[in-house]
Amino acid sequence: MRSEGLREVVYRPESELRSPLTFLKRIVDDIRGSFELTRSLLVRNIKGQYRQAALGYLWAFIPPLATTVTFVFLQSQNIIASGKTDIPYPVYVLVGTLLWQSFVDALNSPLRLVQASTSMMASVNFPREAILFAGLGEVLFYFAIRIVPVLFILPFLGGSLSWSILLFPLGALSIIAFGWGIGLLLVPVGLLYKDVEMGMGILVTLWFFATPVVYTPPVSGAMSLLARINPVSPLLACTRDLLVGGVVSLPVHFVLLSLVALGFLLTGWVAFRLAIPHLVKILNA
Amino acid sequence: MSMNPSLPLLEVQDVSIKFCRDLKRSLWYGLRSIALEMAGRDGSRGSLRQDEFWAVQGLSFTLKRGECLGLIGPNGAGKSTLLKALNGLFKIDEGTIRLRGRVGALIELGTGFNTVLTGRENVYINGSVLGLTRREIDRKFDRIVAFSEIGEFIDAPVRSYSSGMAVRLAFAIAVQMEPDILLLDEVLAVGDVGFRAKCYAAMQKILSRSAVVFVSHSMAQVARLCNKLIVLNRGELVYQGDNVPEGIDRYYGQFDDAEATTAGSGMAALSGIRLSSNGSDGKDPELLTVDYLAPLRLEMTLKVEVPVKRVQLGLLFYDRETRGIAQCSSESGIASIPNRGEPMRVSVTIPQIPFNPGRYSVSITVTDEDTGEILTTEHGFRQFQVRGSYFGFTPVQLDGRWRIVPDRLDELDCPVGNHMAV
């Protein structure tokens, strides 16, 4: 008979923040206990997603490529005016689309995965972090498999890589962290009210056009204001410049926004932890 | 801290849980409670707001290793809710739940399964959801496959499995948990008869090592596995204690009795049916009480239409789950009952009723002996209560003659063994 110290858990109605030390200890325990499950879920999600598709993982790369081709074509026909870019336009669009795609993936990831796991959360008590980590892992995985072919294509499009590329992963991480942090903050309300999910769909489309993904922001007018207050703009522009050796714009903004992303992320995480027991009760008890 | 084996593994103190009937309002309450939680404050706990009701109220119990608590009640009684709360899946509104040791919960089988992936892949996913480490699963993998009887299908996508196969695989993974506390929700009745027997054996092994809370609608399973019982009905505590048969009886008391019905071709009619035991016939509305192994006597007036020449009578005894548990046919007693076209009085006496204490009902069927046609069936017209000192978990308790066999060869010819007394 096992008689060594048994782990004791206590559930109470009081807010978990009432005993911050226990709360922190549980977070640390859960992070420690979540690695294997994260790995299992990540493998499940990635393997499961394209197993029934003949083209398999190529599908991860096809949408951003299609966007690039579309905009390059539109620009070449003078249907849209992209503004002057200091790197070749196809490179500008391809890298921009890629980074934007990762931002949107990260933004949608927490709510999408938590939503898909409600019945699982209502029947097993596993470290809930695993769902989030698996989601983040998925975003990073798809970013990685998209960026590798891009690195090979770039020289053919007239792009040149520079030493600043070594800082590029940091930039990409900031963009992903920013999206993921906002996504996390949306989970508590978004899980209760579908309005969040539907609203986000529209918002993301508008946001795309307010971000220098496929064209440079105008220097004056309403659009320039929008581009300036849009926090994703400096993150995306900076990161793109790091990869293709453009002039790195707004480095201070970049650093500040990375810190904001970190703040979102930590707040979102705590909010998620506190909200889940309430959400499970309402959604699937 | 847990060297003491009598230390409870599960302590539940004054636990209450409330829910809201209205969806929109429940979302709003939820949002408020999340906001309060984040502000480090407590929500409205003790009182009910609009559209709220108690699913569980003021429940307390403790459970030690080796104990199995049955949680029973009609649908919507709050059983599964309580089980999920015990597992910490959601916030309780009042009280404290304290768990010591590794907790295993089988509330649903196959959580996390992805049907596009193979059985092998899903074993690892489901295993890690249940809290097994990768190394543990590696070690137990062959046992899981063997237990599930899946064979080479283990490398086929779960989508191609029959529902029985998927459930078998899920159960095979689940029984690999080695929990100190096991929370079980109605998952024992999976697969075919052969597999169920295996499940029971596996479950019994876990039961002896853990403290178990078991939610079920199968009183046979509850009676077999549990040594403590809580009967809930819509948040109310109907029964709590160690007397499992009494608790089961209280559980049955939560349902209305089925109404008496008459069926058949109508060529025969029964009237004046009288049920008695040892001279007492427990006048309506009082329930007739029959002592264990006491006789039961049934008397009735039978009128059969002329074309029918001979009839047979049959009694069928049912338990509270309307399972037929015993029969008594006139065919085994008298050759046949000739019909003279006039009402006749028929009686039957069963010398000993060897039923487990509890409530039973009886139906009478009259058949045409020549054609086999059912002329009339009277069902559920009368119930009786069997009273006894020994409670078992099968409907029939045979009356055995027990003795210790002397250890000497010359006395081997002594009478020994069971003696069926029906």
Side-chain angles (χ1 to χ4, degrees):
Chain A
M1 172 151 293
R2 286 158 294 170
S3 57
E4 64 274 13
L6 295 171
R7 201 172 88 101
E8 185 174 304
V9 191
V10 183
Y11 299 117
R12 291 197 176 89
E14 288 82 22
S15 168
E16 283 194 77
L17 292 179
R18 285 288 186 85
S19 32
L21 279 180
T22 316
F23 183 62
L24 275 177
K25 195 183 160 297
R26 275 196 194 167
I27 293 187
V28 173
D29 281 354
D30 277 355
I31 293 176
R32 238 190 250 148
S34 67
F35 294 137
E36 299 219 20
L37 182 55
T38 299
R39 176 183 151 158
S40 287
L41 293 179
L42 179 59
V43 169
R44 174 193 75 172
N45 295 347
I46 291 175
K47 275 189 173 171
Q49 181 155 22
Y50 295 119
R51 186 158 289 187
Q52 221 190 333
L55 294 181
Y57 293 112
L58 273 181
W59 279 111
F61 193 65
I62 291 171
L65 201 65
T67 311
T68 307
V69 170
T70 309
F71 279 96
V72 168
F73 175 75
L74 291 178
Q75 198 240 13
S76 69
Q77 303 299 304
N78 288 322
I79 295 172
I80 58 159
S82 64
K84 172 137 178 51
T85 56
D86 52 2
I87 50 174
Y89 183 69
V91 175
Y92 187 89
V93 175
L94 184 60
V95 178
T97 315
L98 200 82
L99 292 173
W100 175 257
Q101 178 79 52
S102 292
F103 170 74
V104 174
D105 284 354
L107 181 69
N108 291 332
S109 167
L111 187 56
R112 181 174 65 85
L113 282 166
V114 173
Q115 226 155 30
S117 312
T118 45
S119 80
M120 202 163 107
M121 291 193 298
S123 54
V124 186
N125 195 345
F126 56 90
R128 273 61 167 111
E129 273 74 13
I131 301 173
L132 301 180
F133 294 163
L136 186 60
E138 202 180 327
V139 174
L140 294 172
F141 171 81
Y142 285 117
F143 172 74
I145 65 167
R146 280 174 198 141
I147 196 68
V148 171
V150 167
L151 293 178
F152 285 100
I153 298 172
L154 278 184
F156 298 101
L157 296 176
S160 61
L161 305 175
S162 76
W163 284 110
S164 63
I165 192 175
L166 294 175
L167 286 174
F168 171 74
L170 200 67
L173 276 181
S174 285
I175 294 179
I176 289 171
F178 197 82
W180 202 60
I182 298 175
L184 262 181
L185 284 169
L186 292 175
V187 170
V189 182
L191 217 53
L192 287 177
Y193 293 97
K194 295 270 178 206
D195 309 56
V196 172
E197 195 188 339
M198 295 187 269
M200 280 310 286
I202 299 170
L203 190 71
V204 163
T205 312
L206 298 177
W207 205 342
F208 173 80
F209 289 106
T211 312
V213 181
V214 293
Y215 55 84
T216 55
V219 276
S220 62
M223 200 62 190
S224 89
L225 183 72
L226 200 58
R228 218 175 305 150
I229 58 167
N230 173 5
V232 185
S233 302
L235 287 176
L236 194 133
C238 244
T239 307
R240 177 167 43 204
D241 294 337
L242 286 172
L243 179 68
V244 291
V247 182
V248 176
S249 47
L250 304 166
V252 181
H253 282 67
F254 178 84
V255 172
L256 286 178
L257 282 166
S258 297
L259 291 176
V260 170
L262 196 66
F264 280 174
L265 205 147
L266 293 177
T267 321
W269 187 346
V270 171
F272 167 81
R273 276 199 68 101
L274 293 173
I276 285 297
H278 294 277
L279 295 169
V280 169
K281 183 177 174 186
I282 294 159
L283 298 174
N284 215 326
Chain B
M1 112 185 137
S2 61
M3 300 300 282
N4 181 1
S6 64
L7 188 71
L9 295 184
L10 178 57
E11 282 178 71
V12 172
Q13 228 169 60
D14 289 324
V15 166
S16 300
I17 303 162
K18 59 185 178 183
F19 281 101
C20 179
R21 271 180 215 97
D22 183 76
L23 176 71
K24 280 259 163 81
R25 191 160 276 131
S26 78
L27 297 180
W28 175 240
Y29 288 160
L31 203 60
R32 282 187 44 156
S33 58
I34 291 170
L36 287 169
E37 171 93 38
M38 288 178 190
R41 290 171 47 202
D42 307 331
S44 113
R45 290 204 263 117
S47 56
L48 293 179
R49 292 167 289 185
Q50 197 183 343
D51 284 331
E52 279 187 326
F53 64 96
W54 293 111
V56 174
Q57 200 174 13
L59 191 67
S60 304
F61 65 89
T62 60
L63 214 56
K64 293 177 200 145
R65 207 182 287 280
E67 288 185 318
C68 178
L69 169 74
L71 213 52
I72 58 178
N75 284 330
K79 312 176 295 277
S80 300
T81 301
L82 180 59
L83 203 66
K84 288 179 176 184
L86 293 179
N87 198 14
L89 298 179
F90 58 75
K91 218 63 185 185
I92 50 176
D93 291 289
E94 281 179 47
T96 316
I97 296 170
R98 195 180 295 270
L99 304 132
R100 296 190 179 91
R102 186 169 175 174
V103 182
L106 272 186
I107 289 175
E108 206 173 275
L109 283 175
T111 358
F113 266 24
N114 181 333
T115 55
V116 182
L117 303 181
T118 66
R120 183 185 298 274
E121 288 164 326
N122 275 304
V123 167
Y124 281 89
I125 296 162
N126 183 238
S128 49
V129 172
L130 294 178
L132 297 170
T133 63
R134 195 169 179 82
R135 201 175 300 161
E136 274 179 295
I137 304 171
D138 280 338
R139 191 154 44 80
K140 291 170 170 172
F141 189 82
D142 291 337
R143 246 180 294 164
I144 292 174
V145 179
F147 191 99
S148 68
E149 300 165 21
I150 295 277
E152 61 207 23
F153 275 94
I154 193 69
D155 286 309
V158 168
R159 182 182 285 181
S160 69
Y161 289 14
S162 69
S163 57
M165 285 165 78
V167 139
R168 266 176 4 228
L169 183 61
F171 193 85
I173 304 164
V175 293
Q176 297 303 321
M177 291 191 295
E178 290 166 16
D180 296 297
I181 300 170
L182 179 66
L183 308 171
L184 263 180
D185 193 355
E186 200 93 60
V187 287
L188 279 184
V190 298
D192 53 29
V193 178
F195 190 73
R196 268 205 302 256
K198 238 161 92 174
C199 290
Y200 262 112
M203 226 10 107
Q204 218 100 28
K205 240 195 223 162
I206 298 180
L207 289 182
S208 58
R209 292 189 306 244
S210 328
V212 182
V213 182
F214 179 44
V215 166
S216 181
H217 281 123
S218 159
M219 292 309 114
Q221 287 180 354
V222 168
R224 201 166 146 186
L225 298 173
C226 303
N227 42 33
K228 280 184 159 189
L229 204 61
I230 284 180
V231 184
L232 292 174
N233 193 2
R234 303 196 174 277
E236 306 237 333
L237 188 61
V238 177
Y239 175 84
Q240 177 168 18
D242 300 339
N243 190 338
V244 174
E246 188 194 333
I248 290 178
D249 210 47
R250 299 284 290 278
Y251 162 77
Y252 285 130
Q254 302 302 303
F255 302 97
D256 297 331
D257 293 326
E259 278 178 31
T261 52
T262 306
S265 69
M267 296 288 278
L270 288 166
S271 58
I273 306 170
R274 207 172 143 258
L275 204 60
S276 63
S277 179
N278 282 335
S280 106
D281 64 353
K283 292 263 181 296
D284 259 345
E286 215 176 297
L287 196 62
L288 171 67
T289 305
V290 182
D291 287 314
Y292 174 62
L293 295 183
L296 182 74
R297 185 182 151 86
L298 211 107
E299 238 187 88
M300 70 210 96
T301 302
L302 173 64
K303 166 94 170 67
V304 184
E305 301 296 320
V306 183
V308 179
K309 294 191 174 63
R310 285 171 289 270
V311 294
Q312 294 286 358
L313 266 75
L315 305 183
L316 182 48
F317 293 90
Y318 297 93
D319 66 4
R320 291 295 301 259
E321 307 225 6
T322 64
R323 270 180 316 200
I325 55 156
Q327 278 180 288
C328 176
S329 168
S330 63
E331 215 169 334
S332 65
I334 43 178
S336 61
I337 302 170
N339 178 29
R340 287 189 293 271
E342 284 160 28
M344 56 182 147
R345 197 79 185 146
V346 182
S347 85
V348 53
T349 300
I350 297 158
Q352 289 188 320
I353 290 290
F355 292 172
N356 198 39
R359 202 186 283 192
Y360 299 90
S361 63
V362 58
S363 72
I364 311 172
T365 301
V366 183
T367 32
D368 184 330
E369 188 180 305
D370 297 318
T371 63
E373 186 191 2
I374 293 174
L375 306 176
T376 187
T377 296
E378 291 285 337
H379 186 82
F381 56 89
R382 196 82 164 89
Q383 292 192 329
F384 60 95
Q385 178 82 30
V386 173
R387 188 167 58 187
S389 53
Y390 176 76
F391 287 89
F393 52 77
T394 59
V396 174
Q397 296 296 321
L398 300 177
D399 175 33
R401 300 276 176 267
W402 299 82
R403 60 179 293 189
I404 294 167
V405 182
D407 203 13
R408 294 213 314 270
L409 285 170
D410 55 336
E411 284 189 38
L412 255 185
D413 54 346
C414 282
V416 72
N418 281 339
H419 155 74
M420 292 246 301
V422 182

